[in-house]
Amino acid sequence: LDGPSWLTERGMYTFVRHEDLSQDPSREITDLMKFMDAPLNKTALSEWVNLYTLEEDKSVNGTNDKVLSMSIHHNSTYKAMHWRVDASFNFINKVQNIPYCREVMNVFGYVALRDGEQMLDLSFPTTLPLSRLTIN
C-alpha cells in the first residue's frame, strides 16, 4: 500500500493493519523490524508472541466474568475477530454500506460481508492481501 510521496521517497512509511498484526504477529513484527533496519532476536520475538498474543483470555477473580479490557495477555486473533461473533449482521451491514465506510474499506483492503452466515464463518477472510492494494 503506497503512502504519501513525501514519506515513501524517504523510506519512512509502512502500512500495518491491526488484523494482520493480530493474526500473524511474528511475520508483521519481523517485517517492521526489517523496515526499521533494526536487529531482531527471533527467540525473544517467539517468547513475546507466545506470552502476549496466544494466551487464552482468563477469568477475573476466578469467575467467568469478562477479562479486563486493559489486559496485555490475550488471544490476539480472537480480539481482532470477536466483532464477527458479538455484533449482529444487521449492524455490520449498516456500517459497511455507509458510503464513506465502504470507501475506506476498499482503500484499506477490507471485504464486505454478504450475510450473517459469512460473517460467522471465521475462515472467510475479511481482508485482502496488502500486495493487492494501492492508494492513488
Side-chain angles (χ1 to χ4, degrees):
L1 188 64
D2 297 330
S5 62
W6 59 274
L7 285 177
T8 56
E9 289 170 2
R10 296 179 182 165
M12 298 172 57
Y13 174 87
T14 191
F15 179 79
V16 179
R17 283 186 301 219
H18 174 258
E19 294 81 1
D20 298 331
L21 184 59
S22 295
Q23 292 173 6
D24 195 350
S26 294
R27 184 191 72 219
E28 293 298 319
I29 292 171
T30 299
D31 289 350
L32 284 169
M33 297 301 279
K34 285 180 187 173
F35 171 76
M36 295 184 298
D37 198 24
L40 175 66
N41 180 321
K42 291 194 181 251
T43 302
L45 172 61
S46 178
E47 290 173 2
W48 182 88
V49 166
N50 288 330
L51 180 62
Y52 291 104
T53 69
L54 299 177
E55 187 168 316
E56 293 301 317
D57 293 332
K58 295 179 180 174
S59 62
V60 178
N61 299 326
T63 68
N64 288 328
D65 294 338
K66 288 194 173 190
V67 175
L68 296 173
S69 62
M70 297 303 288
S71 171
I72 59 172
H73 298 272
H74 61 269
N75 180 316
S76 63
T77 300
Y78 170 76
K79 292 292 185 189
M81 303 285 278
H82 76 90
W83 62 270
R84 293 177 73 169
V85 176
D86 295 345
S88 71
F89 178 72
N90 187 40
F91 173 76
I92 298 302
N93 197 41
K94 284 180 183 176
V95 171
Q96 70 185 10
N97 284 305
I98 296 170
Y100 178 76
C101 291
R102 180 60 68 117
E103 181 181 341
V104 170
M105 288 174 64
N106 289 337
V107 167
F108 294 111
Y110 292 98
V111 177
L113 298 166
R114 344 177 259 276
D115 54 39
E117 185 176 324
Q118 190 178 60
M119 184 177 87
L120 293 174
D121 177 2
L122 300 183
S123 67
F124 181 82
T126 56
T127 55
L128 296 173
L130 290 179
S131 60
R132 296 183 50 193
L133 306 179
T134 59
I135 295 179
N136 297 328

